[in-house]
Amino acid sequence: MRRRSLALRVIGVLTLAALIPTLAIGTLAFARTRADLEREVVRGHLALIRALGAGLDATLQDARRTVEIAAATWADTRVDAAPASELDRRATERLLARLDRDVPVIARVTIVDPTGAPVAGGALPPGVDLGARSFGGYVGDAAFSAEGAHVPLVVQARSRTGALVGVFVAEIDLGFVADALRGARLGAGATVTVVDGRGTVVASTDRRAAVGTSRKGDVAIDRALGAAAEGHTSRADELAVFRNLASYQSLRGVRWAIVLTQPERDAYAVAAATRRLTLLVAVIALALALAVGAFLAARLTRPLAALATRADAIAHGDTAPAPPIRGPGEVGVLGARIEEMAGRIGERAELQAALARGDRLASVGVMAAQVAHEINNPLTTVLGYAALLAEDKPADHADRAGLELIADEATRMKAIVAGLLGYARAETDGDRATAVAPGEIGRLVAALLAPAVRKAKATLTVTLDDAPAIGFDGHALQQVLVNLVTNALHAAPGGAITVGWSPLPGGRIALDVCDDGPGVPPAERARVFDPFVTTKPAGVGTGLGLAVVRHLVTRAGAAIAVDDAPAGGARFRLTVATALVVPPAEPP
Amino acid sequence: MQVRIWIAGALALAACDRAPRAEGPPVRFAHTLAPAEAAALDELIADRAPAVEATLLPFSRAEAVLGATLASADDCPDLLRIDATWLPALATAGRVSPPPPALAARAWLSAGRELASWDGRLLAVPMSLDGLVLIRPATAAPPTPWPPADLAQLEAAATAATTPGRHGLGLRVDGYWLVPFLRGHGADVADGTRGTLGIDGAGAEAALADLAALFARGVVAPPPAPGAEAEHEAAAFARGELAILISGPWAYPALATDGPDGLGGLAIAALPGAPRGAQLLAVPTCARSPERAWELAGELTAPATQAAWSRRLGAVPTTEDGLAAAAPLARATYAALAAARPLPRHPLSAALFDDLSPAVAAVVAGDATPAEALDGVRRAWTRALAAGAR
């Protein structure tokens, strides 16, 4: 669970490492891109209406200058308060005719005196004053009629001394505004509208905004008329960019506004496409980052998981050598070190077991030697006297059976003492491992144990003649085989006992002693080689035979183990290396 | 940046001062603010409730348009921002109503209270003070003598400061700029209250001749095309082509630099004989929501707002607290205007310049002599006074 948690945490960390910068940078880029693109859209629209407004203003100013020059020229010919002569009237009519002919945007010019009385061109249009307190003139609000939209241009006519002589009122045909708007290159869904100071439409490319209708109340129009310069607003999914024409014109009094509107869907189409693309790229990049992160996390944690599994096995005693766990960098080093540690732990455990076993065997050996030394002599005496006493008694004497029993038991005790002495010798004898032919030893053992085999009504089959020579002391091997066969006779009286061999890899062979008895339970197999441990009935065996076997085998560098025989019963297998040199056969 | 912080703070204070008010129809505010002032107003009213529907009236046409609008009572605004010279005409016609007592009792500076009153009654509240002052770059060495005690010293200082590539003085070819010269020669504009023309004597002709001579000698920079005066003088001032500029607080945003204490970089001095004026907030009698209008007027003239506008725009406050917290430039302007005098308080005063300005232009251009030009002005003013009397 912890291992999975580690992997998940690594993936989590990598995910966060990918998510945080992606989200932060993505959000910033997203917001900046949106803001930048929208700002550029507004700037573009503003540039367009500035250009349009500048064109409209230039036309108005041209008309104003023309009228101002005409008014100044006319005023210079007049004398304040003097009645106009016939000559003056004709000159005035020619002047008005030239204005009408040469300035197309001027629809009509009216001249009045400082009191407002008509001088030429008819009566003063309604709603127009003489420009008092207006710094000499102004442009009024648009007027609408069946003939179209017009706007009054009022210019005071002053003589060279500055004295007010009259007032020129020119009606400007606003058709030029509509012409200018029609010529504008607008984006998809965009419309441009020009309104006068009251919010009345002067011209528009929007068919819904008819000339002469009021747009007062429209947020963009109201803001445009209230603004000092220019700006933009968004409402109802529509972008509106506006500019107050009064902010740059020099005609005092004009307060028109020009407004460009466009659905946000069209205005920010490029921005929306860029946002979608940015989002797509971000999602793909994030997915790739997560996939790569998961892959790297799995690669990083897999050796760690294997290390954890290996550590668990070592903790449960599995110190058998295993290939070191490979991994990048420190993980690989850790795997190698763990295997080294496992090896050392195993060696130490084996050493501790061997030491414990060695101590016990050494103690048994010493004790056996002392017991054998102390018991053997009195036992010989007991045996001798028992035999003498028995020989002196007739066969039917009442004591003869008891004396013979004493002699038999004494004989049995001497056998035990001999076994103890053998164990003691095995413990104390030096390493005398030499090359020996198992076949020779096998025949000797068969001969030695023939009486015991017969007595046990068992059969013993030894097939070691073709076995290769092995590195083992001959006497030790004889003792080993005698003990193993004797053990088999005790375990399976009347059974079949076989002694054979088989080759093993690595220059070793196996010498097997098998019986058809009940076998050794698996739980007992690890301790049957310990001294005084036996599974046989009381009075059968000394409990030292297998201990002597293991001691001799271990000292010879070989191994002994017990398992089940192929035909049932027990199989004691001696694994031993073959000898490099076979000793020459003794002469017959 | 510092100015923006001050303004934000002032707006926040103003917002804190305001009690929660109910939503309602927008307050219709017709004003004549300059572009920079209009931008500051837009920020102030952006999130205000009830909303403010601001309408910009060109200064040159505002008096005529307002006169016609208020006379017809059609589409009547709730609050007006007007020049102080327009108040007598509106008050005489009964077009404006007095402010509520609480607002009238505010600690207005006497200069503002005087111009917001007519016939002894406070009929508007002063928003800012203005008038003509002498402006020069603060970093430049002052001309000698400085500050000039009279018109002669000013002409001497300007003459001394005139060098190749630099004019000693900058002013507009406009009747309003002629007023100090008229007063310096014992003349003045017509006073309707006393029935005097002010330009009867030789002093007026001398004043006009004096002014024209400054142009002719190159002491004063040549006049730009009509309508482009502000941009022209700001550009010339920035290039160092003008040693001294005669103008008012309305020109500061284009002339001054943005500093930690607000607009700066300008040295202000009194112009001898200068006219002094004010911009007022008035509520017409035809207003639909006079209470809300006066409420907005109170906010626009709150000391904190005035102090903020003084830093951002150089506007001269009209309240004692506003002046105390104002930017140094605004306080210097207030001090320079201390000796200035208002134009005659009469309904015709604003209209006098319709004829005076063309006369000044004719003389400066050399089209007419001062006597010829002033003859026409006298005839026009006589007609106007006669019409006014009727």
Side-chain angles (χ1 to χ4, degrees), chain A residues 80 114 129 131-138 156 158 160-164 216 222 225-228 244 246 250 252-255, chain B residues 31 35 38 54-58 60-61 63-64 174 227 229 347-348 350-351 354-355 358-359 362 367-368 372-373 376 379 383:
Chain A
D80 189 19
D129 62 45
R133 311 186 188 198
S134 300
F135 297 86
Y138 68 98
Q156 291 183 335
R158 292 184 178 273
R160 65 174 178 83
T161 64
L164 183 64
K216 200 75 175 169
D222 290 346
L225 293 175
N244 191 318
S250 58
R252 292 170 170 166
V254 170
R255 193 170 59 85
Chain B
H31 64 77
T55 301
L56 173 65
L57 299 174
S60 58
R61 281 290 291 164
E63 189 184 8
D174 190 295
E229 295 92 341
L348 290 175
D354 277 4
D355 296 296
D367 293 338
E372 290 174 326
R379 287 196 296 272
R383 282 199 302 268

Side-chain angles (χ1 to χ4, degrees), chain A residues 40-421:
Chain A
E40 289 306 311
V41 168
V42 171
R43 284 181 58 184
H45 286 3
L46 277 174
L48 177 60
I49 62 173
R50 279 183 203 136
L52 280 173
L56 301 179
D57 187 53
T59 303
L60 276 174
Q61 289 201 52
D62 287 345
R64 177 184 67 92
R65 290 194 189 96
T66 302
V67 176
E68 280 181 346
I69 291 170
T73 303
W74 179 82
D76 274 345
T77 64
R78 308 279 297 179
V79 178
D80 189 19
S85 64
E86 182 60 27
L87 194 60
D88 291 336
R89 276 195 292 272
R90 284 207 296 269
T92 299
E93 288 171 359
R94 281 199 301 275
L95 177 65
L96 296 184
R98 287 197 62 182
L99 285 174
D100 182 55
R101 185 186 65 213
D102 297 340
V103 188
V105 298
I106 295 178
R108 186 167 74 98
V109 176
T110 300
I111 303 175
V112 297
D113 70 12
T115 65
V119 174
L124 199 63
V128 172
D129 62 45
L130 300 181
R133 311 186 188 198
S134 300
F135 297 86
Y138 68 98
V139 174
D141 291 326
F144 304 92
S145 65
E147 299 173 356
H150 295 81
V151 67
L153 171 62
V154 177
V155 175
Q156 291 183 335
R158 292 184 178 273
S159 68
R160 65 174 178 83
T161 64
L164 183 64
V165 178
V167 177
F168 275 47
V169 179
E171 288 186 63
I172 306 298
D173 184 352
L174 293 178
F176 76 91
V177 179
D179 293 341
L181 297 192
R182 273 194 295 271
R185 299 178 64 179
L186 304 175
T191 61
V192 182
T193 301
V194 173
V195 296
D196 70 1
R198 298 166 302 184
T200 304
V201 176
V202 173
S204 178
T205 61
D206 186 355
R207 294 183 179 182
R208 296 167 299 177
V211 173
T213 58
S214 176
R215 295 294 296 273
K216 200 75 175 169
D218 184 302
V219 176
I221 300 292
D222 290 346
R223 286 200 57 189
L225 293 175
E230 61 191 19
H232 70 279
T233 181
S234 294
R235 81 274 194 263
D237 297 328
E238 189 174 65
L239 170 68
V241 179
F242 51 83
R243 183 172 178 84
N244 191 318
L245 294 181
S247 61
Y248 58 86
Q249 54 78 43
S250 58
L251 271 179
R252 292 170 170 166
V254 170
R255 193 170 59 85
W256 293 358
I258 183 167
V259 181
L260 187 153
T261 62
Q262 188 177 25
E264 289 189 341
R265 181 185 67 253
D266 296 322
Y268 301 140
V270 175
T274 303
R275 284 200 298 271
R276 283 196 298 271
L277 186 60
T278 303
L279 195 59
L280 180 64
V281 170
V283 168
I284 292 174
L286 188 59
L288 281 176
L290 291 178
V292 172
F295 174 72
L296 291 178
R299 281 202 61 179
L300 186 63
T301 58
R302 191 180 303 126
L304 292 175
L307 284 174
T309 303
R310 179 59 180 148
D312 284 346
I314 293 172
H316 288 87
D318 179 11
T319 57
I325 296 167
R326 298 185 181 280
E330 289 82 351
V331 175
V333 174
L334 183 60
R337 295 293 176 270
I338 282 181
E339 285 310 317
E340 291 177 12
M341 289 168 57
R344 288 174 186 168
I345 289 171
E347 289 174 0
R348 180 164 297 180
E350 285 185 4
L351 184 58
Q352 287 176 339
L355 284 173
R357 188 169 60 246
D359 286 346
R360 190 161 51 178
L361 292 176
S363 301
V364 170
V366 171
M367 183 189 70
Q370 290 175 347
V371 170
H373 179 72
E374 296 297 329
I375 290 178
N376 202 39
N377 291 336
L379 196 58
T380 303
T381 303
V382 171
L383 181 59
Y385 279 100
L388 287 175
L389 289 173
E391 289 175 356
D392 292 342
K393 298 293 188 289
D396 56 349
H397 191 276
D399 293 336
R400 186 175 180 91
L403 291 171
E404 288 177 349
L405 180 60
I406 291 171
D408 289 345
E409 290 302 313
T411 301
R412 174 173 150 74
M413 291 170 69
K414 279 184 72 72
I416 293 173
V417 170
L420 287 173
L421 285 173

